Amino acid sequence: MTLMNAESYRESLRKRKPLKVWLDGKLLENPIDHPYIKASINTVALTYELAHDPEFKPLMTATSALTGETVNRFCHLHQNTQDLMNKVKMQRLLGQRCGTCFQRCVGMDALNAVFATTFDMDKKLGTTYHERFKSFAKAMEQNDWIVDGAMTDPKGDRGLRPAEQPDKDVYLRVVEQRPDGIVVRGAKAHQTGAVNSHQILVMPTVSMKSDEGEFAVAFSVAADAEGISYIYGRQSCDERKLADDEASDIDSGSSCYGGQEALIVFDDVFVPSENVYMNGETEFAGLLVDRFASYHRQSYGGCKVGKGDVAIGAAASIAELNGVTKASHVKDKIVEMNHLNETLFSCGIACSANGAKMPAGNFLVDPLLANVCKQNVTRLPYEIARLLQDIAGGLMVTLPSARDWLNPETAGILEKYFAGAAGSDTRLRIRMLRLIENLTMGRGAVAYLTESMHGAGSPQAQRILIGRLANVEEKKVYAKALAMNNSLVTVEAAIREGLAKVRGGKKA
Ligand code: SF4
Ligand code: FE
């Protein structure tokens, strides 16, 4: 079964052993039917369903480099820069369709990062991780798995290294080496789509020093493996989704779809050797982290743009419903929102177009441009959201409950006083305002805004990499050569000489 559809995906979740999922203080009996989780499963299911749509198949699928078969792009090893660009376009498409997080990108990004890094590790250290990981990659394609890429450790005291923590478990670690595998303990935080996954692909969270081998670990494990439990994350206004009725649908703002985050706890989980892809090779932990981060920072140049398209559509719609489409400042704000959104898309496309082949054969995005992409993502969606709230007006946060709209005693009053543009549909206006609330302050804001800030690394992480990758020494060569020379011949000679020195490792 290479390409599942939405229905077979839902069935595949039911076939897992019962997951241990805690939500709101209770252990869930049947996690996948909980209203929060059901909505988040609908979102993931889109990634399966659209792969069968003739219109979207070229974006949603790819030809496997491992078997030559058609596979879902989320399970694909990128073979060229077109693949990288198609990934971003696919993410924009899905963001437009659901307006929230479709949860499947972390697995795709982890797949490509671990594939490349195990290859490099084997070459340098003589280990045999790559072939093992290739088997996993094939199984991921063949089973059309959702793989939860798991990187972020809770980290405890940020001022201490992993081994210095009073409780070392705040960094996931190997607690026992056995002849046939390892035993791991710890947790991974903010795990997008964790409960909706088939497999978890764990990676180290930061680069490691040579004496931090116990934390330099990468492996895959089934989501329903013994010793794994999940504690479900809360989202702003999530209780509006609890009751299964029309009022909840209206007040939740976007009732069909939702995102999902959870803390995954690994309580002495045994991982057989064939599923271990790093076990103490500290010098490769940082490379794996950087590659995953680059891919995931590229991802945001697609997914946030799709959600931005929904935000812009909501701005234009509420302007119509409020009767302000002719106001020049409103038109200008919508132009600005588009400008910002397309700037993010440009970054996603640029880092993809400038990607390069790695020794393992798959392609990596341009890391500098991917970090610039994500740095912009930490800012521009907030400005888009600010403009959206500006256009929406204060009613977005003062609207009475949908239950008042559905109550015959108050419905008429609300229809009368909350009517918008002449002839417009007041109920649509209400729903549009709720969607805007969802996107900018509610459940959808997790995927559109807060994740834009902290997902794929907080802003400072990108600034460190931009500082490291931007090659300021070469830029100084250009500036000095232009400032110091007064002939065309010497200026060019100075540039060449300066660049040669810089590239030889010396300062110009
Ligand atoms: Fe994909 Fe965006 Fe969700 Fe991350 S936040 S998993 S990139 S949809
Ligand atoms: Fe993310």
Side-chain angles (χ1 to χ4, degrees):
M1 184 202 300
T2 309
L3 280 181
M4 280 200 275
N5 60 23
E7 217 25 65
S8 46
Y9 165 61
R10 287 195 180 89
E11 273 167 37
S12 72
L13 294 184
R14 288 186 196 284
K15 282 187 195 142
R16 297 177 305 184
K17 280 182 240 143
L19 298 192
K20 196 173 173 188
V21 182
W22 296 90
L23 192 156
D24 255 346
K26 291 181 207 88
L27 187 61
L28 298 182
E29 253 182 51
N30 191 1
I32 60 179
D33 288 332
H34 187 282
Y36 300 171
I37 301 179
K38 220 157 74 178
S40 73
I41 289 173
N42 289 344
T43 321
V44 183
L46 256 186
T47 69
Y48 288 100
E49 203 56 23
L50 293 190
H52 290 274
D53 186 313
E55 188 184 346
F56 303 122
K57 209 169 175 177
L59 270 193
M60 296 296 305
T61 63
T63 304
S64 163
L66 302 175
T67 64
E69 287 178 32
T70 300
V71 296
N72 193 297
R73 189 173 294 283
F74 281 100
C75 301
H76 182 54
L77 293 158
H78 315 299
Q79 294 304 299
N80 46 49
T81 53
Q82 188 61 50
D83 266 352
L84 290 170
M85 288 191 277
N86 284 347
K87 171 194 163 187
V88 171
K89 291 179 186 173
M90 168 183 75
Q91 289 166 315
R92 182 173 190 170
L93 166 76
L94 286 160
Q96 291 166 340
R97 287 301 205 269
C98 64
T100 188
C101 170
F102 35 91
Q103 304 152 53
R104 208 173 169 181
C105 320
V106 274
M108 165 176 55
D109 293 342
L111 164 78
N112 276 275
V114 178
F115 186 85
T117 308
T118 49
F119 183 91
D120 295 344
M121 226 185 325
D122 288 359
K123 206 161 169 218
K124 176 142 189 230
L125 306 176
T127 46
T128 54
Y129 294 125
H130 190 63
E131 279 310 308
R132 283 182 193 175
F133 189 71
K134 228 186 208 175
S135 306
F136 174 81
K138 263 190 210 161
M140 178 173 171
E141 284 183 355
Q142 291 295 306
N143 294 294
D144 208 357
W145 276 333
I146 301 287
V147 172
D148 196 32
M151 179 162 277
T152 310
D153 289 341
K155 296 196 195 81
D157 183 336
R158 279 19 177 209
L160 299 176
R161 294 292 310 173
E164 296 165 351
Q165 298 287 335
D167 179 354
K168 288 206 287 180
D169 296 349
V170 293
Y171 281 79
L172 188 138
R173 65 200 179 104
V174 180
V175 290
E176 192 187 337
Q177 300 278 353
R178 291 189 191 165
D180 54 345
I182 56 175
V183 178
V184 296
R185 187 189 303 156
K188 291 287 181 185
H190 327 300
Q191 283 308 131
T192 300
V195 176
N196 300 339
S197 298
H198 303 101
Q199 291 274 325
I200 305 167
L201 179 52
V202 168
M203 298 161 284
T205 195
V206 287
S207 54
M208 295 292 169
K209 295 185 176 160
S210 55
D211 59 349
E212 295 172 333
E214 65 191 292
F215 307 101
V217 61
F219 60 88
S220 61
V221 67
D224 58 3
E226 182 75 29
I228 293 182
S229 58
Y230 303 83
I231 307 183
Y232 209 84
R234 290 224 60 171
Q235 296 183 331
S236 173
C237 308
D238 53 8
E239 277 177 355
R240 293 194 190 178
K241 198 68 206 101
L242 265 188
D244 198 7
D245 61 13
E246 192 187 351
S248 298
D249 281 351
I250 297 170
D251 278 347
S252 71
S254 172
S255 69
C256 296
Y257 296 118
Q260 174 186 101
E261 295 80 29
L263 180 78
I264 310 181
V265 182
F266 297 79
D267 189 9
D268 289 359
V269 175
F270 174 70
V271 183
S273 300
E274 63 262 30
N275 296 332
V276 176
Y277 315 118
M278 178 185 285
N279 184 11
E281 292 77 10
T282 49
E283 63 178 294
F284 283 90
L287 181 64
L288 179 52
V289 171
D290 284 351
R291 281 175 173 163
F292 173 78
S294 292
Y295 281 126
H296 208 49
R297 290 168 192 175
Q298 168 214 24
S299 283
Y300 283 21
C303 98
K304 306 303 175 208
V305 180
K307 303 176 213 333
D309 289 328
V310 177
I312 293 165
S317 303
I318 201 65
E320 270 170 26
L321 293 157
N322 289 349
V324 294
T325 41
K326 291 202 183 101
S328 61
H329 74 96
V330 170
K331 284 187 200 158
D332 190 55
K333 280 167 188 157
I334 292 173
V335 168
E336 177 65 5
M337 291 168 83
N338 278 294
H339 159 66
L340 297 171
N341 206 40
E342 298 305 335
T343 300
L344 296 179
F345 188 53
S346 308
C347 291
I349 292 295
C351 67
S352 307
N354 225 25
K357 193 174 184 174
M358 291 179 284
N362 57 334
F363 271 61
L364 178 65
V365 292
D366 180 316
L368 174 60
L369 297 186
N371 277 282
V372 169
C373 177
K374 172 65 210 317
Q375 182 77 183
N376 278 331
V377 168
T378 64
R379 299 171 182 170
L380 307 195
Y382 286 89
E383 180 60 8
I384 294 171
R386 188 185 71 80
L387 293 167
L388 174 56
Q389 290 189 342
D390 177 350
I391 294 171
L395 197 52
M396 173 193 73
V397 285
T398 61
L399 257 185
S401 156
R403 292 184 212 290
D404 295 314
W405 289 90
L406 298 173
N407 179 348
E409 284 185 62
T410 43
I413 304 171
L414 296 179
E415 287 282 351
K416 175 179 162 76
Y417 290 111
F418 290 138
S424 67
D425 179 346
T426 309
R427 297 286 166 126
L428 174 59
R429 186 164 179 244
I430 301 316
R431 283 182 176 265
M432 195 56 68
L433 289 165
R434 286 297 182 214
L435 172 68
I436 295 169
E437 184 192 29
N438 174 296
L439 271 176
T440 61
M441 307 168 66
R443 288 184 313 135
V446 178
Y448 189 44
L449 299 180
T450 332
E451 255 222 62
S452 292
M453 181 67 80
H454 292 295
S458 303
Q460 191 56 20
Q462 290 110 57
R463 298 189 80 78
I464 290 167
L465 274 153
I466 291 168
R468 203 196 291 163
L469 298 167
N471 216 338
V472 176
E473 289 306 318
E474 286 197 5
K475 291 170 188 173
K476 277 162 63 183
V477 168
Y478 303 128
K480 282 183 188 170
L482 290 169
M484 293 290 292
N485 292 281
N486 60 1
S487 99
L488 295 180
V489 175
T490 57
V491 74
E492 182 56 24
I495 289 175
R496 284 169 195 249
E497 190 191 337
L499 289 179
K501 277 190 192 161
V502 168
R503 289 173 186 168
K506 289 176 224 139
K507 286 199 169 186

